Amino acid sequence: MRPWEKAIRRVTPYVPGEQPKGGDLVKLNTNENPYPPSPAVLACLRDMDGGSLRKYPDPASSGLTEALGARYGLGAEQIFVGVGSDDVLALSFLTFFNSGQPVLFPDITYSFYKVWAELFGVPYETPPLDENFRIRTEDYAGQNGGVIFPNPNAPTGIYMPLDQVEEILSANRDSVVIVDEAYIDFAGPSAVGLLERYENLLVVQTFSKSRSLAGLRIGFAMGHPRLIRALNDVKYSFNSYTMNMPSQLLGAASVGDEAYFQETVRRIRDTREKAKLRFRGLGFSFPDSQANFLFVTHPGVQARVLFEALKRERIYVRYFDAPRLDNFLRITIGTEQEMEKLFAFLEDFVKKEG
Amino acid sequence: MRPWEKAIRRVTPYVPGEQPKGGDLVKLNTNENPYPPSPAVLACLRDMDGGSLRKYPDPASSGLTEALGARYGLGAEQIFVGVGSDDVLALSFLTFFNSGQPVLFPDITYSFYKVWAELFGVPYETPPLDENFRIRTEDYAGQNGGVIFPNPNAPTGIYMPLDQVEEILSANRDSVVIVDEAYIDFAGPSAVGLLERYENLLVVQTFSKSRSLAGLRIGFAMGHPRLIRALNDVKYSFNSYTMNMPSQLLGAASVGDEAYFQETVRRIRDTREKAKLRFRGLGFSFPDSQANFLFVTHPGVQARVLFEALKRERIYVRYFDAPRLDNFLRITIGTEQEMEKLFAFLEDFVKKEG
């Protein structure tokens, strides 16, 4: 190590998932939406004034926060936007979790929570899911420095009904509770309806899944104006101009097309429910996912073996080499045709190997 | 204060500069480029495939880093890209300044250095500029936890010749030295030529000024692969997918059009040198700026009074209400026509008030 390397922060480098290239592949590994963004987004892109890129974007992303406010029945001062929900969540760790008390999140959940806690030196505890991969609400009742969990949870897809979310909220009046709703549009009602009663609740969502805009990096948080102001204060101390001009304009165009959004979400939910029947018919089992993916396991086929076999067919799914997860595959819901290709292969494979 | 607010990080909120709206104004307050981005960028925007926005962008921004590598004669492993140079610099503070020793930067400089140091709890010292607003290289020779300064410096525009940059580097073999070259393309040679001899040097640049792409938010760092790897490790622990698809594609298109870049920079430098003569003729004095702005003062007109008078004419410039700076105005170099409007007003005003 060189002397000038001594003051460098050491982190366990996170390795992003595989992004296979080339055509003729079925990409069901990163929970992207199989449908293109709304025609309103495509029209906005076509009409975009490239000349105005010479100017700084609006640091407050007013057009986008106002569109979101109108969509969710909130004021612009209740909405914070960031570069994907990862940006929003990372800034939330930095902003809200400074008590020195451990922050609570499930042992099996979005893997980035642990990474942020370690990056910012936030202590944490990870209560285990129960034997059916469910969050036990009673584990979140003790003293803590904050609570965060996804709903639906990842990578299980299990949705927690709002009365259980509220159980956690009512047991945590004195710390910030973050509900990470990346997949909520494919599931049941959002916790956004609880904002009126819980000032310490922050609800985080994203444009990457239900809005088909992973390529733009847009996430947002909804909460009490005091939480939003605190997030903005930290954001402005980090980088004033994070949301670029295309994201602000195209994001607002997307929010404006509610009909397309509803229709796309409906199609993915339909395909998911049909996929559940097909998987079950082949002998797979899985938690009852309400997200845009299924988390499946088979008694006769090892997940890792199936993962490799699918890859040889250029069908990409996600494998987690971790305790309790390593005999499961997380499979994104694609188009009907993509799912057809998947099942055509699985029917053959399971018959031979299963 | 509510109990749940106790663990919130308190920062002095940074207030971003004024972004006046509406047409028919002369905007010389944020050092934007008065010319549009390269025609190659506009063509790339017109041809962009909106459908592919449904997918995550390349987390490594390979196309963009390779284009930059080719432009600067470096390998892709020597280049890091971020959401504007503010993102690159903020991550650099978090990554490199962890020794507990004070980081050194000038007392008059880019105002964000202090904000980042405070956000991340990095101790710092600010050696004062000399009476001509110059950095005294001997102030950067003691033990420290790192060094950072802009070249040209802000808001003075003064360029430090490379032999003086090298003096600072040779006195600081054991800590990371960051040269923040936001305005370098309007000035003399970049410190990038010193990378071969100084492994602890990080050179940071931006697409916001010379490349007319402030609206896209693209900054980058060039340095030893070990520095770049450390930055990437921290970045991947914060947010894997920061550079959205439009930024990656349009940024690479911009780097590909060297002729337009050179021509635009030449025009701005020409206008700047002509502006120096006009200001001097009106009795203004100023450091010999090598950036795309001038930092001017007048013996007979108070800066704040002139600032307000210009604003009434819808000519926006930047005023800093701070010791030693509060009788100066920072004025961005605009188009020839914009500068003509500015001088037409100034000639009148200075005659009456000066």
Side-chain angles (χ1 to χ4, degrees), chain A residues 8-27:
Chain A
I8 292 181
R9 184 175 295 262
R10 301 289 148 196
V11 295
T12 313
Y14 172 87
V15 182
E18 197 165 14
Q19 291 287 6
K21 277 170 192 157
D24 196 34
L25 57 84
V26 179
K27 190 167 178 304

mmCIF file of all heavy atoms in Angstrom, chain A residues 8-27:
data_model
loop_
_atom_site.group_PDB
_atom_site.id
_atom_site.type_symbol
_atom_site.label_atom_id
_atom_site.label_comp_id
_atom_site.label_asym_id
_atom_site.label_seq_id
_atom_site.Cartn_x
_atom_site.Cartn_y
_atom_site.Cartn_z
ATOM 1 N N ILE A 8 -7.699 6.198 2.389
ATOM 2 C CA ILE A 8 -8.801 5.821 1.496
ATOM 3 C C ILE A 8 -9.814 4.965 2.252
ATOM 4 O O ILE A 8 -9.456 4.047 2.983
ATOM 5 C CB ILE A 8 -8.266 5.063 0.253
ATOM 6 C CG1 ILE A 8 -7.455 6.017 -0.637
ATOM 7 C CG2 ILE A 8 -9.407 4.433 -0.536
ATOM 8 C CD1 ILE A 8 -6.906 5.389 -1.902
ATOM 9 N N ARG A 9 -11.087 5.298 2.105
ATOM 10 C CA ARG A 9 -12.159 4.538 2.730
ATOM 11 C C ARG A 9 -12.214 3.132 2.146
ATOM 12 O O ARG A 9 -12.222 2.954 0.934
ATOM 13 C CB ARG A 9 -13.498 5.237 2.480
ATOM 14 C CG ARG A 9 -14.690 4.596 3.170
ATOM 15 C CD ARG A 9 -15.931 5.450 2.948
ATOM 16 N NE ARG A 9 -15.777 6.735 3.596
ATOM 17 C CZ ARG A 9 -16.279 7.027 4.794
ATOM 18 N NH1 ARG A 9 -16.982 6.138 5.461
ATOM 19 N NH2 ARG A 9 -16.086 8.208 5.321
ATOM 20 N N ARG A 10 -12.215 2.138 3.012
ATOM 21 C CA ARG A 10 -12.282 0.739 2.544
ATOM 22 C C ARG A 10 -13.723 0.274 2.613
ATOM 23 O O ARG A 10 -14.337 0.317 3.662
ATOM 24 C CB ARG A 10 -11.422 -0.177 3.418
ATOM 25 C CG ARG A 10 -9.955 0.179 3.465
ATOM 26 C CD ARG A 10 -9.238 -0.117 2.152
ATOM 27 N NE ARG A 10 -8.157 0.855 1.963
ATOM 28 C CZ ARG A 10 -7.534 1.080 0.817
ATOM 29 N NH1 ARG A 10 -7.862 0.427 -0.285
ATOM 30 N NH2 ARG A 10 -6.566 1.971 0.738
ATOM 31 N N VAL A 11 -14.253 -0.144 1.508
ATOM 32 C CA VAL A 11 -15.604 -0.698 1.501
ATOM 33 C C VAL A 11 -15.549 -2.041 0.788
ATOM 34 O O VAL A 11 -14.641 -2.307 0.008
ATOM 35 C CB VAL A 11 -16.604 0.232 0.784
ATOM 36 C CG1 VAL A 11 -16.757 1.545 1.524
ATOM 37 C CG2 VAL A 11 -16.168 0.496 -0.642
ATOM 38 N N THR A 12 -16.515 -2.914 1.113
ATOM 39 C CA THR A 12 -16.627 -4.150 0.364
ATOM 40 C C THR A 12 -17.307 -3.801 -0.940
ATOM 41 O O THR A 12 -18.468 -3.409 -0.940
ATOM 42 C CB THR A 12 -17.493 -5.160 1.142
ATOM 43 O OG1 THR A 12 -17.037 -5.177 2.492
ATOM 44 C CG2 THR A 12 -17.390 -6.538 0.537
ATOM 45 N N PRO A 13 -16.566 -3.874 -2.040
ATOM 46 C CA PRO A 13 -17.163 -3.385 -3.284
ATOM 47 C C PRO A 13 -18.390 -4.202 -3.664
ATOM 48 O O PRO A 13 -18.359 -5.436 -3.674
ATOM 49 C CB PRO A 13 -16.050 -3.540 -4.319
ATOM 50 C CG PRO A 13 -14.958 -4.315 -3.664
ATOM 51 C CD PRO A 13 -15.235 -4.425 -2.206
ATOM 52 N N TYR A 14 -19.497 -3.532 -3.908
ATOM 53 C CA TYR A 14 -20.697 -4.171 -4.422
ATOM 54 C C TYR A 14 -20.484 -4.430 -5.902
ATOM 55 O O TYR A 14 -19.989 -3.586 -6.635
ATOM 56 C CB TYR A 14 -21.885 -3.241 -4.211
ATOM 57 C CG TYR A 14 -23.158 -3.710 -4.877
ATOM 58 C CD1 TYR A 14 -24.028 -4.576 -4.230
ATOM 59 C CD2 TYR A 14 -23.476 -3.280 -6.157
ATOM 60 C CE1 TYR A 14 -25.193 -5.000 -4.847
ATOM 61 C CE2 TYR A 14 -24.649 -3.697 -6.779
ATOM 62 C CZ TYR A 14 -25.492 -4.556 -6.117
ATOM 63 O OH TYR A 14 -26.646 -4.968 -6.726
ATOM 64 N N VAL A 15 -20.830 -5.633 -6.349
ATOM 65 C CA VAL A 15 -20.669 -5.960 -7.765
ATOM 66 C C VAL A 15 -22.057 -5.980 -8.404
ATOM 67 O O VAL A 15 -22.887 -6.803 -8.053
ATOM 68 C CB VAL A 15 -19.985 -7.324 -7.940
ATOM 69 C CG1 VAL A 15 -19.780 -7.622 -9.422
ATOM 70 C CG2 VAL A 15 -18.660 -7.346 -7.199
ATOM 71 N N PRO A 16 -22.319 -5.048 -9.334
ATOM 72 C CA PRO A 16 -23.656 -5.000 -9.940
ATOM 73 C C PRO A 16 -23.936 -6.267 -10.749
ATOM 74 O O PRO A 16 -23.014 -6.934 -11.225
ATOM 75 C CB PRO A 16 -23.611 -3.784 -10.858
ATOM 76 C CG PRO A 16 -22.265 -3.175 -10.745
ATOM 77 C CD PRO A 16 -21.409 -4.051 -9.895
ATOM 78 N N GLY A 17 -25.236 -6.602 -10.873
ATOM 79 C CA GLY A 17 -25.660 -7.812 -11.578
ATOM 80 C C GLY A 17 -25.241 -7.823 -13.040
ATOM 81 O O GLY A 17 -24.932 -6.796 -13.631
ATOM 82 N N GLU A 18 -25.275 -9.016 -13.590
ATOM 83 C CA GLU A 18 -24.870 -9.236 -14.969
ATOM 84 C C GLU A 18 -25.774 -8.464 -15.938
ATOM 85 O O GLU A 18 -26.996 -8.509 -15.820
ATOM 86 C CB GLU A 18 -25.001 -10.734 -15.241
ATOM 87 C CG GLU A 18 -24.273 -11.234 -16.434
ATOM 88 C CD GLU A 18 -24.164 -12.774 -16.378
ATOM 89 O OE1 GLU A 18 -24.875 -13.395 -15.554
ATOM 90 O OE2 GLU A 18 -23.392 -13.329 -17.149
ATOM 91 N N GLN A 19 -25.177 -7.752 -16.893
ATOM 92 C CA GLN A 19 -25.964 -7.087 -17.938
ATOM 93 C C GLN A 19 -25.562 -7.685 -19.281
ATOM 94 O O GLN A 19 -24.734 -7.121 -20.005
ATOM 95 C CB GLN A 19 -25.739 -5.569 -17.922
ATOM 96 C CG GLN A 19 -26.312 -4.842 -16.710
ATOM 97 C CD GLN A 19 -27.837 -4.722 -16.734
ATOM 98 O OE1 GLN A 19 -28.513 -5.267 -17.602
ATOM 99 N NE2 GLN A 19 -28.392 -4.020 -15.761
ATOM 100 N N PRO A 20 -26.147 -8.871 -19.603
ATOM 101 C CA PRO A 20 -25.754 -9.545 -20.841
ATOM 102 C C PRO A 20 -26.086 -8.668 -22.047
ATOM 103 O O PRO A 20 -27.053 -7.916 -22.026
ATOM 104 C CB PRO A 20 -26.611 -10.809 -20.839
ATOM 105 C CG PRO A 20 -27.768 -10.496 -19.962
ATOM 106 C CD PRO A 20 -27.267 -9.528 -18.932
ATOM 107 N N LYS A 21 -25.249 -8.743 -23.067
ATOM 108 C CA LYS A 21 -25.466 -7.921 -24.258
ATOM 109 C C LYS A 21 -25.836 -8.776 -25.454
ATOM 110 O O LYS A 21 -25.693 -9.989 -25.435
ATOM 111 C CB LYS A 21 -24.223 -7.067 -24.539
ATOM 112 C CG LYS A 21 -24.227 -5.810 -23.696
ATOM 113 C CD LYS A 21 -22.917 -5.058 -23.768
ATOM 114 C CE LYS A 21 -22.903 -3.991 -22.658
ATOM 115 N NZ LYS A 21 -21.571 -3.582 -22.280
ATOM 116 N N GLY A 22 -26.278 -8.134 -26.504
ATOM 117 C CA GLY A 22 -26.623 -8.846 -27.725
ATOM 118 C C GLY A 22 -28.115 -9.123 -27.771
ATOM 119 O O GLY A 22 -28.808 -9.050 -26.759
ATOM 120 N N GLY A 23 -28.600 -9.438 -28.982
ATOM 121 C CA GLY A 23 -30.028 -9.675 -29.141
ATOM 122 C C GLY A 23 -30.377 -11.131 -28.842
ATOM 123 O O GLY A 23 -29.553 -11.884 -28.321
ATOM 124 N N ASP A 24 -31.610 -11.498 -29.132
ATOM 125 C CA ASP A 24 -32.084 -12.872 -29.008
ATOM 126 C C ASP A 24 -31.820 -13.480 -27.641
ATOM 127 O O ASP A 24 -31.415 -14.641 -27.527
ATOM 128 C CB ASP A 24 -31.441 -13.756 -30.099
ATOM 129 C CG ASP A 24 -32.219 -15.070 -30.240
ATOM 130 O OD1 ASP A 24 -33.455 -15.036 -30.061
ATOM 131 O OD2 ASP A 24 -31.585 -16.117 -30.490
ATOM 132 N N LEU A 25 -31.997 -12.691 -26.596
ATOM 133 C CA LEU A 25 -31.882 -13.273 -25.267
ATOM 134 C C LEU A 25 -33.132 -12.904 -24.484
ATOM 135 O O LEU A 25 -33.825 -11.935 -24.801
ATOM 136 C CB LEU A 25 -30.604 -12.823 -24.558
ATOM 137 C CG LEU A 25 -30.338 -11.344 -24.351
ATOM 138 C CD1 LEU A 25 -31.040 -10.834 -23.101
ATOM 139 C CD2 LEU A 25 -28.845 -11.116 -24.198
ATOM 140 N N VAL A 26 -33.421 -13.713 -23.483
ATOM 141 C CA VAL A 26 -34.577 -13.451 -22.636
ATOM 142 C C VAL A 26 -34.032 -12.993 -21.287
ATOM 143 O O VAL A 26 -33.405 -13.760 -20.562
ATOM 144 C CB VAL A 26 -35.450 -14.714 -22.494
ATOM 145 C CG1 VAL A 26 -36.640 -14.431 -21.574
ATOM 146 C CG2 VAL A 26 -35.938 -15.173 -23.865
ATOM 147 N N LYS A 27 -34.237 -11.708 -20.992
ATOM 148 C CA LYS A 27 -33.583 -11.092 -19.838
ATOM 149 C C LYS A 27 -34.602 -10.947 -18.707
ATOM 150 O O LYS A 27 -35.394 -10.010 -18.677
ATOM 151 C CB LYS A 27 -33.025 -9.737 -20.269
ATOM 152 C CG LYS A 27 -32.123 -9.098 -19.252
ATOM 153 C CD LYS A 27 -31.344 -7.923 -19.833
ATOM 154 C CE LYS A 27 -30.481 -7.254 -18.784
ATOM 155 N NZ LYS A 27 -31.200 -6.788 -17.605
#
